[in-house]
Amino acid sequence: MELGKVTVSINKAINAQEVAVKEKHARTCILGTHHEKGAQTFWSVVNRLPLSGNAVLCWKFCHVFHKLLRDGHSNVLKDSVRYKNELSDMSRMWGHLSEGYGQLCSIYLKLLRTKMEFHTKNPRFPGNLQMSDRQLDEAGENDVNNFFQLTVEMFDYLECELNLFQTVFSSLDMSRSVSVTAAGQCRLAPLIQVILDCSHLYDYTVKLLFKLHSCLPADTLQGHRDRFLEQFRKLKDLFYRSSNLQYFKRLIQIPQLPENPPNFLRASALSEHISPVVVIPAEASSPDSEPITDLVEMDTASQSLFDNKFDDIFGSSFSSDPFNFNSQNGMNKDDKDRLIEQLYGEIAALKEELENFKAESARGAVQLRGRASELEAELAEQRHLKQQAQDESEFLRAELEELKKQREDTEKAQRSLTEIERRAQANEQRYSKLKEKYSELVQNHADLLRKNAEVTKQVTVARQAQGDVEREKKELEDSFQRVSEQAQRKSQEQAEVLDTLKRELAASRQELQVLQGTLESSTQAGAEQSTRIAGLEQERDSLSQAAERHGEEMAALRAELQQLRDTLSHEQESSKMELEKLQTQLRDKQESGEQVLQRRLAEEQFALLQGTAREAERMVQDALGRLEDPAHIGCTGSADCLLSRTLAASECVERLRDAHGKYLSNRAAVGSLLPCLALFAHLVSDTLLQGSATSHVAPMEPADRLLEMCKQCGSEAVSYLSALQDPGMVEGADCSLVMTCLGRISAIGEELRPRGLDVKQEELGDLVDKEMAATAAAIETAAARIEEMLSKARAGDTGVKLEVNERILGSCTGLMQAIHVLVLASKDLQREIVESGRGAASPKEFYAKNSRWTEGLISASKAVGWGATVMVDAADLVVQGKGTFEELMVCSREIAASTAQLVAASKVKADKDSANLCKLQQASRGVNQATAGVVASTKAGKSQVEEKDSMDFSSMTLTQIKRQEMDSQVRVLELENQLQKERQKLGELRKKHYELAGVAEGWEEDAAD
């Protein structure tokens, strides 16, 4: 077989068209594996196909690969094991897609992996699982442990087959003839291979379980039996459902499993087991054509035989003259006679054969008449059976209708549960996305902080360098100061020496003058004086030389000081230039770093804005897509819920508009815009879905207008979010159109909003005040009646009865006081709610605007007043000895429930930080404690009365005790029966109460929402 032909067949068999794989292409692939003794060509072609990108392509690959594993060459398994991990990864990938072929491909790939693992562990089993009983025994090597493990593996194998079976059936709409459509046949075609595998696995599992029960205790195999029973029921149901499909009837004959599963605890039941056999009819020509061919051949043969005999007798040349007497006269007479006799003999033989043929035909006709009679009898019997089947089908059809109704109810409940789960999952996904965005913001903030720290560090280093330069400058100034001081000190010392010399010179001159004066007066000492003068002159010369030396030293010091001053000034100038240069570089670095950081921060902030707007746009588009989803048609909603969602969305749009304006004025203020975007997408999507759900229960014209307005609102929201993602359109983005659409949706919702049943909107405010006042009056009246009953009890009762009545009436009085406090706290809280929420409107307008909440208050107030009245009546009957303690306990609990309803209705619109709300909650706890006190005192009084009336059996005989025991048992059974009936009655009463309350207060719409 040519390699190119196999490649073409593989590509034709595995394509993206949603039609079943053609048998001729699959057969060519199987023959190709036998021709090349492996599956290298198959995998080389498949590896180039985009199996992970097209679910239909992957589904048809699984079908062809399953056929190759079953009917292909034995080396197909060896060549395919290396791709087992890729199949697992592909199975996990398709498992994330819950619609279409995603789950089907995931489960089919898991089945193929299980099949490969099974045949790898058990190489004795061929791909088509066809084995004899002897081969099955050899596969287990006559070891009970091997048989045990083999049974577990077969259970796992069969479980994967059944999962694929059930998933395919679940994905089809069985109410339509899906088996005659191309898409339905594409999904059903692989089930033929599954049916073939399941029949063999079921047969081998039954045989192995009988073998295990003959070797192991029954308790050890309890798990195997339970698992087999579960799979038996599933397989029987799936075989029955498959056999009724038109697609399978012409391709495969599906066996029917027995009515009851095999009894493995009875060894003889193995002989009753019949192996299920799946028959695939061969595609042959019509059987009516074969006899016609034989008749034609027989006629031709007989004709040729007759022609040969005629030619032998009369000659083969038709052109010769038959009346040529010349040639006839040449014949011998004996030859003619012999020829005539021979012809007579042949005629007799032919007549005998003809008689035989007539006899055989007569016998055949008799047999055919008998067969016709039998067939007529069978036909009559079949008609009778058909009539019975029709009767049974009518009965089953009636049962099927009931089952369909039950199934519809179950599906409705399942859809509501699925919708709730889907919403919860959507909320979790939104929470996870917001969490991821928050994590990204935190990470970006941390990166910016790290970058800021680096810049701060660089600035610190520059400042340290500037400090070092200043310190060096200060040290130079200090050294210059010290040199200046030293020079000043040296100059002062030299000046002092010069002054000393000048003073000595002046003294010497004075002495010289004195000596000159004395020279004139005394000539005698002339020589001595001249000698002294010479010495003085020498000293003067030495002093002058010393003065000159000091002058030279001063000049040198002045030159050195001037040089130090020049050096210091030069160093100061260079230090100043370096400092200015460093300061310039530092300023440049700071400015460039700040610009880069600001630009990067702005880019990251806009990227974050784009990501948030993109996610918000995707969320709104998802809501728009779900408006057209057929699965959403069954969802319904109320107009009140739509108005609440629309109001919340309008408020969010206002906040989004303010945040957008702040962002345009300051691009760094993106932190306030992102949460508004996320909340905007969530509330708009919720409003769209709620509007669509409300339109499903609204009249046709408002429903069409509401649905069209929801679509327009979603389109405007998508346009606004798209504009936020474009840098050039951010400033021009405007959400006023979304606000306008929300206003129109709110107006339509107001039209669809249900009105009050008994009270007009403008009368609700007056009715609330009247009901609260009536409730307070009823409680005060009840408290006064209890005080009156307590006074009468103290005057007329004594002993245990007085003690019991005082305790019960005292607890009832405490309960009434607690309820009175709660009603007052509820009034204060309602007054605060009205004052804070009405704005410029009047209280009546506020009550009319919040009609549903107002009706709840009215209902709760009525319930509290009625409960107080009923409780006082019950307490009066108990005190008089005509009532029961249980009735009093039920009344106390009922009034506690009514007050809880009043608390819930009061605080639903209250501020959580309100002081009146705290007072109301404290009063509610006081009511609960008082209720518990009433129940406790009632139980204690009941126990005291029962102890007083204790039974004495000391004087009774054995027969009397036995009689009393039987009467007590009868009484117990009667009371249990009455208890059960009363519980049923209570359930029906609560159900009816719920329905009436729903009609009065619109609970049905809320529940549908």
Side-chain angles (χ1 to χ4, degrees):
M1 182 176 291
E2 297 180 359
L3 182 61
K5 184 178 180 181
V6 176
T7 303
V8 171
S9 297
I10 294 173
N11 287 322
K12 287 183 178 180
I14 306 175
N15 53 39
Q17 297 179 1
E18 195 174 1
V19 295
V21 177
K22 291 187 177 181
E23 190 64 29
K24 60 180 182 180
H25 299 323
R27 189 183 302 112
T28 304
C29 298
I30 294 171
L31 294 176
T33 59
H34 287 282
H35 183 265
E36 68 172 343
K37 295 181 174 57
Q40 293 88 354
T41 303
F42 174 75
W43 283 109
S44 64
V45 176
V46 167
N47 286 333
R48 295 194 296 268
L49 298 177
L51 300 180
S52 300
N54 193 310
V56 177
L57 196 70
C58 183
W59 176 253
K60 300 179 77 171
F61 155 73
C62 295
H63 184 192
V64 176
F65 184 43
H66 197 175
K67 277 181 168 289
L68 294 183
L69 289 177
R70 280 188 52 83
D71 303 326
H73 195 269
S74 58
N75 290 333
V76 172
L77 179 63
K78 297 179 182 179
D79 295 338
S80 303
V81 169
R82 71 186 69 172
Y83 300 101
K84 187 167 61 175
N85 293 331
E86 296 181 5
L87 297 180
S88 300
D89 297 337
M90 199 183 305
S91 174
R92 286 193 295 271
M93 187 271 294
W94 284 116
H96 296 297
L97 185 62
S98 59
E99 298 178 354
Y101 283 86
Q103 288 294 327
L104 297 177
C105 292
S106 176
I107 296 174
Y108 206 166
L109 290 168
K110 190 179 299 181
L111 168 61
L112 295 176
R113 177 184 173 90
T114 305
K115 183 177 180 65
M116 294 166 63
E117 292 176 350
F118 177 80
H119 290 289
T120 303
K121 292 180 182 178
N122 305 282
R124 293 178 183 268
F125 283 85
N128 56 8
L129 295 174
Q130 293 181 1
M131 295 180 68
S132 61
D133 293 343
R134 182 177 58 82
Q135 291 175 338
L136 184 62
D137 294 336
E138 291 176 355
E141 299 178 356
N142 292 325
D143 186 357
V144 67
N145 295 322
N146 294 340
F147 285 131
F148 191 91
Q149 183 62 29
L150 183 60
T151 306
V152 174
E153 293 174 0
M154 284 189 177
F155 279 145
D156 296 338
Y157 192 177
L158 185 57
E159 186 70 27
C160 293
E161 302 273 3
L162 295 176
N163 286 340
L164 179 60
F165 224 133
Q166 291 178 331
T167 307
V168 171
F169 272 53
S170 299
S171 66
L172 297 173
D173 186 5
M174 304 308 292
S175 62
R176 299 185 293 115
S177 300
V178 294
S179 63
V180 298
T181 63
Q185 292 177 1
C186 182
R187 300 193 183 194
L188 292 173
L191 295 186
I192 297 177
Q193 312 300 318
V194 176
I195 292 171
L196 293 171
D197 288 344
C198 289
S199 63
H200 292 298
L201 290 173
Y202 167 76
D203 184 31
Y204 300 153
T205 304
V206 171
K207 293 176 180 178
L208 290 176
L209 283 176
F210 274 112
K211 190 178 294 292
L212 288 173
H213 278 79
S214 63
C215 302
L216 296 175
D219 295 339
T220 306
L221 300 172
Q222 182 64 39
H224 280 51
R225 290 197 299 274
D226 295 340
R227 194 171 183 184
F228 173 80
L229 290 176
E230 180 182 359
Q231 293 185 354
F232 173 80
R233 287 191 292 269
K234 291 181 181 179
L235 186 60
K236 181 180 178 182
D237 178 62
L238 293 174
F239 274 8
Y240 177 75
R241 294 170 65 183
S242 302
S243 62
N244 294 328
L245 292 179
Q246 188 66 30
Y247 176 70
F248 290 119
K249 289 182 179 180
R250 64 183 183 85
L251 295 177
I252 189 172
Q253 183 177 347
I254 302 174
Q256 296 299 325
L257 298 183
E259 185 68 24
N260 298 318
N263 185 6
F264 299 109
L265 302 179
R266 184 167 57 89
S268 60
L270 178 60
S271 60
E272 302 172 1
H273 170 65
I274 300 175
S275 300
V277 178
V278 180
V279 179
I280 299 180
E283 297 180 0
S285 60
S286 176
D288 298 336
S289 62
E290 295 180 359
I292 296 173
T293 304
D294 296 340
L295 290 174
V296 173
E297 292 176 354
M298 187 176 68
D299 294 340
T300 305
S302 60
Q303 182 66 31
S304 62
L305 178 61
F306 179 79
D307 292 340
N308 292 334
K309 288 183 179 182
F310 185 84
D311 292 339
D312 292 339
I313 297 172
F314 298 103
S316 60
S317 177
F318 291 96
S319 63
S320 61
D321 187 6
F323 300 100
N324 189 0
F325 297 101
N326 294 327
S327 61
Q328 289 181 1
N329 294 331
M331 294 180 61
N332 194 356
K333 186 178 181 180
D334 295 335
D335 294 336
K336 290 181 179 180
D337 294 338
R338 190 169 53 253
L339 181 57
I340 291 170
E341 290 176 358
Q342 183 179 356
L343 290 175
Y344 278 131
E346 289 179 358
I347 290 171
L350 290 174
K351 286 182 178 180
E352 185 179 357
E353 289 181 1
L354 182 59
E355 293 295 333
N356 293 332
F357 284 147
K358 289 181 178 180
E360 289 179 0
S361 63
R363 287 195 300 271
V366 172
Q367 291 178 358
L368 290 175
R369 291 190 189 96
R371 181 60 179 164
S373 300
E374 293 178 358
L375 291 176
E376 288 177 356
E378 291 181 0
L379 180 60
E381 185 179 357
Q382 292 295 331
R383 286 176 179 172
H384 179 66
L385 293 175
K386 178 183 178 182
Q387 187 63 33
Q388 291 182 351
Q390 288 179 352
D391 296 338
E392 291 180 357
S393 64
E394 291 296 332
F395 177 71
L396 292 175
R397 190 176 291 109
E399 289 186 350
L400 181 61
E401 291 297 329
E402 294 180 359
L403 292 175
K404 283 183 179 179
K405 292 180 181 178
Q406 295 178 0
R407 181 183 177 185
E408 290 176 357
D409 296 338
T410 306
E411 288 179 351
K412 188 180 295 182
Q414 187 68 26
R415 283 196 299 270
S416 62
L417 179 60
T418 306
E419 182 67 20
I420 293 171
E421 292 178 352
R422 185 186 59 74
R423 290 183 179 179
Q425 186 177 4
N427 291 331
E428 291 179 358
Q429 291 177 356
R430 292 168 185 166
Y431 173 73
S432 61
K433 289 180 181 178
L434 291 176
K435 188 176 181 182
E436 291 176 359
K437 294 298 180 183
Y438 177 73
S439 302
E440 292 178 0
L441 288 174
V442 172
Q443 184 66 30
N444 294 333
H445 184 63
D447 294 338
L448 292 176
L449 288 177
R450 284 195 296 270
K451 293 176 182 178
N452 189 16
E454 292 177 358
V455 173
T456 305
K457 186 176 180 181
Q458 293 177 0
V459 172
T460 305
V461 172
R463 288 178 180 175
Q464 288 179 356
Q466 183 179 2
D468 295 338
V469 172
E470 290 179 354
R471 282 196 299 272
E472 290 179 357
K473 176 182 178 183
K474 189 174 182 180
E475 290 176 357
L476 289 174
E477 290 178 354
D478 293 339
S479 61
F480 176 73
Q481 188 70 24
R482 287 194 299 270
V483 171
S484 300
E485 290 176 355
Q486 290 177 1
Q488 288 178 1
R489 284 196 300 271
K490 288 182 180 180
S491 60
Q492 288 178 359
E493 290 177 357
Q494 291 175 359
E496 290 176 356
V497 172
L498 184 60
D499 291 337
T500 304
L501 291 175
K502 286 181 178 180
R503 284 193 300 271
E504 291 178 356
L505 180 59
S508 300
R509 286 177 179 175
Q510 291 177 1
E511 290 178 0
L512 179 59
Q513 289 177 0
V514 171
L515 289 175
Q516 286 178 357
T518 57
L519 180 59
E520 292 177 356
S521 61
S522 178
T523 57
Q524 297 175 354
E528 295 178 0
Q529 290 292 331
S530 60
T531 305
R532 185 180 296 176
I533 292 169
L536 290 173
E537 288 179 354
Q538 291 178 357
E539 289 180 2
R540 187 186 62 185
D541 294 336
S542 61
L543 288 174
S544 62
Q545 292 176 358
E548 291 177 357
R549 285 196 301 272
H550 284 296
E552 292 176 357
E553 290 179 359
M554 285 291 294
L557 289 174
R558 286 193 183 94
E560 184 178 359
L561 179 61
Q562 186 64 33
Q563 185 177 1
L564 289 175
R565 286 178 177 174
D566 296 338
T567 304
L568 180 60
S569 62
H570 181 68
E571 289 180 354
Q572 285 179 348
E573 291 177 358
S574 62
S575 300
K576 188 181 295 183
M577 291 175 64
E578 290 179 359
L579 180 60
E580 292 177 355
K581 185 178 180 180
L582 289 174
Q583 289 178 350
T584 305
Q585 292 178 357
L586 179 61
R587 284 195 298 271
D588 294 339
K589 287 182 179 180
Q590 287 179 346
E591 292 176 357
S592 62
E594 289 178 357
Q595 292 176 358
V596 171
L597 289 176
Q598 289 177 357
R599 185 171 60 257
R600 188 176 300 171
L601 180 60
E603 292 175 354
E604 291 178 356
Q605 287 177 347
F606 187 73
L608 187 59
L609 176 61
Q610 282 182 329
T612 306
R614 192 179 301 110
E615 290 296 329
E617 181 182 358
R618 190 176 302 153
M619 191 181 301
V620 176
Q621 287 180 348
D622 179 63
L624 286 174
R626 287 171 60 188
L627 294 182
E628 305 295 336
D629 190 1
H632 186 65
I633 296 177
C635 299
T636 58
S638 65
D640 288 335
C641 187
L642 174 61
L643 290 175
S644 64
R645 294 291 86 195
T646 307
L647 179 61
S650 301
E651 294 175 354
C652 179
V653 171
E654 291 293 338
R655 292 197 298 271
L656 179 61
R657 182 183 297 170
D658 296 339
H660 189 198
K662 293 180 182 178
Y663 174 72
L664 293 178
S665 61
N666 183 13
R667 293 303 177 98
V670 73
S672 60
L673 181 60
L674 296 181
C676 293
L677 276 178
L679 184 61
F680 169 75
H682 170 70
L683 292 177
V684 169
S685 302
D686 201 5
T687 302
L688 298 181
L689 294 177
Q690 189 63 37
S692 176
T694 305
S695 67
H696 295 158
V697 295
M700 183 176 296
E701 183 180 356
D704 294 339
R705 287 192 290 112
L706 179 58
L707 189 60
E708 185 65 27
M709 193 53 59
C710 289
K711 293 180 180 179
Q712 184 179 354
C713 180
S715 301
E716 296 297 339
V718 170
S719 301
Y720 173 68
L721 294 173
S722 300
L724 290 181
Q725 301 176 31
D726 191 356
M729 298 176 64
V730 173
E731 295 182 357
D734 188 11
C735 57
S736 59
L737 295 177
V738 180
M739 192 69 181
T740 304
C741 294
L742 290 175
R744 294 175 181 174
I745 292 174
S746 179
I748 298 173
E750 287 289 347
E751 295 177 5
L752 299 176
R753 187 177 182 185
R755 305 304 178 187
L757 298 179
D758 301 325
V759 184
K760 296 182 180 179
Q761 297 290 331
E762 59 272 9
E763 298 177 359
L764 288 175
D766 296 335
L767 188 58
V768 171
D769 297 335
K770 291 178 182 179
E771 289 297 334
M772 294 301 293
T775 301
I779 293 171
E780 293 176 356
T781 303
R785 286 186 60 189
I786 292 173
E787 290 293 337
E788 182 181 354
M789 286 187 287
L790 184 59
S791 301
K792 290 181 179 180
R794 288 173 179 170
D797 298 332
T798 57
V800 176
K801 185 176 181 181
L802 177 60
E803 182 181 355
V804 171
N805 292 338
E806 285 183 345
R807 186 186 296 117
I808 292 175
L809 293 176
S811 60
C812 291
T813 302
L815 178 58
M816 290 301 165
Q817 293 174 355
I819 293 173
H820 183 68
V821 173
L822 185 136
V823 170
L824 294 178
S826 177
K827 283 184 177 180
D828 295 337
L829 182 60
Q830 291 169 23
R831 190 178 300 109
E832 179 183 346
I833 292 171
V834 173
E835 291 298 328
S836 62
R838 66 186 179 91
S842 63
K844 292 184 179 180
E845 292 176 351
F846 177 80
Y847 283 123
K849 182 180 179 181
N850 301 275
S851 59
R852 185 62 55 82
W853 175 68
T854 307
E855 291 173 359
L857 284 177
I858 294 170
S859 176
S861 301
K862 289 182 178 178
V864 172
W866 175 81
T869 305
V870 173
M871 181 179 175
V872 172
D873 294 338
D876 190 8
L877 293 175
V878 169
V879 172
Q880 294 177 6
K882 299 179 182 180
T884 60
F885 294 99
E886 288 80 4
E887 183 178 359
L888 184 59
M889 288 189 286
V890 170
C891 290
S892 62
R893 289 179 179 142
E894 183 66 25
I895 197 172
S898 300
T899 55
Q901 180 183 357
L902 179 60
V903 171
S906 299
K907 73 177 185 180
V908 69
K909 286 186 174 293
D911 187 6
K912 63 180 181 178
D913 297 328
S914 174
N916 290 323
L917 178 60
C918 295
K919 293 180 181 178
L920 180 64
Q921 291 174 345
Q922 291 177 358
S924 176
R925 287 192 287 270
V927 170
N928 293 331
Q929 293 176 359
T931 304
V934 172
V935 174
S937 61
T938 305
K939 289 182 178 180
K942 181 180 178 182
S943 61
Q944 278 186 326
V945 173
E946 289 177 351
E947 288 177 359
K948 179 180 178 182
D949 298 334
S950 60
M951 292 177 288
D952 185 14
F953 303 118
S954 59
S955 61
M956 297 178 66
T957 62
L958 178 61
T959 305
Q960 292 174 343
I961 291 176
K962 186 65 176 178
R963 179 68 179 177
Q964 291 290 335
E965 182 182 355
M966 293 176 64
D967 293 340
S968 297
Q969 291 178 356
V970 171
R971 183 60 177 166
V972 167
L973 293 175
E974 291 177 352
L975 292 175
E976 288 178 351
N977 189 17
Q978 292 179 3
L979 177 62
Q980 185 176 1
K981 291 181 180 179
E982 288 298 327
R983 284 178 175 170
Q984 293 177 354
K985 182 179 178 181
L986 177 61
E988 294 297 329
L989 288 173
R990 287 179 175 173
K991 184 177 180 181
K992 189 64 178 177
H993 175 266
Y994 182 81
E995 292 177 356
L996 294 176
V999 172
E1001 300 183 12
W1003 293 353
E1004 292 181 355
E1005 298 177 359
D1006 297 340
D1009 184 26

